[in-house]
Amino acid sequence: MNLEKVVFGFFVLLAATLNFGFFLGDIDDPAVHNVYELFAALVVSLVATVLKFGDRTQIGAVHLATSLVADLQLVAATITWAWAVHVSAEGLTDVTTASMVSLSGGALLANVVSVVLLVVETVSFQRH
């Protein structure tokens, strides 16, 4: 068993599941979208991105691209939340929450692509 692959797979799957947990629920209801889950999804996604550096294969490049897309979407969602809570006079509104959750939905799609790539790579692995 390759420990590096286990750690890589763990962080890819954890990023997807944390993002899914944040995304799930009414799109405009701030009560069902925990900001700490958003931060956890962002941190784990960033760790997964770092783990994807160094893989010089074509599938590694696509893994990195999906991770960068997820990071960008989660950073935008986090900035949206921070702006609404700390800068905007209106606070966290239904519209702001919907924007934040939509951005995390984009990240979730990128995470799903990454998980599919991981499964395809694992299934097509040939022992020497």
Side-chain angles (χ1 to χ4, degrees), residues 37-88:
E37 197 163 18
L38 174 61
F39 290 140
L42 175 59
V43 168
V44 171
S45 184
L46 290 170
V47 170
T49 301
V50 169
L51 292 174
K52 292 175 184 179
F53 280 107
D55 187 352
R56 305 232 182 258
T57 64
Q58 179 63 33
I59 200 159
V62 178
H63 265 298
L64 182 59
T66 61
S67 195
L68 291 171
V69 168
D71 292 345
L72 181 64
Q73 297 275 358
L74 290 172
V75 166
T78 303
I79 290 171
T80 301
W81 175 85
W83 181 271
V85 171
H86 297 293
V87 177
S88 173

Side-chain angles (χ1 to χ4, degrees), residues 1-12 51 118 125 127:
M1 181 181 318
N2 185 340
L3 184 60
E4 181 181 325
K5 294 286 186 185
V6 171
V7 171
F8 175 73
F10 171 79
F11 278 100
V12 168
L51 292 174
L118 181 64
F125 180 74
R127 292 189 182 250

Side-chain angles (χ1 to χ4, degrees), residues 98-109:
S99 294
M100 186 174 61
V101 173
S102 293
L103 287 164
S104 80
L108 179 60
L109 181 59

Side-chain angles (χ1 to χ4, degrees), residues 7-40:
V7 171
F8 175 73
F10 171 79
F11 278 100
V12 168
L13 289 170
L14 185 59
T17 57
L18 284 170
N19 195 356
F20 180 75
F22 175 77
F23 179 77
L24 200 61
D26 291 335
I27 193 166
D28 61 350
D29 184 3
V32 297
H33 302 286
N34 188 320
V35 69
Y36 296 113
E37 197 163 18
L38 174 61
F39 290 140

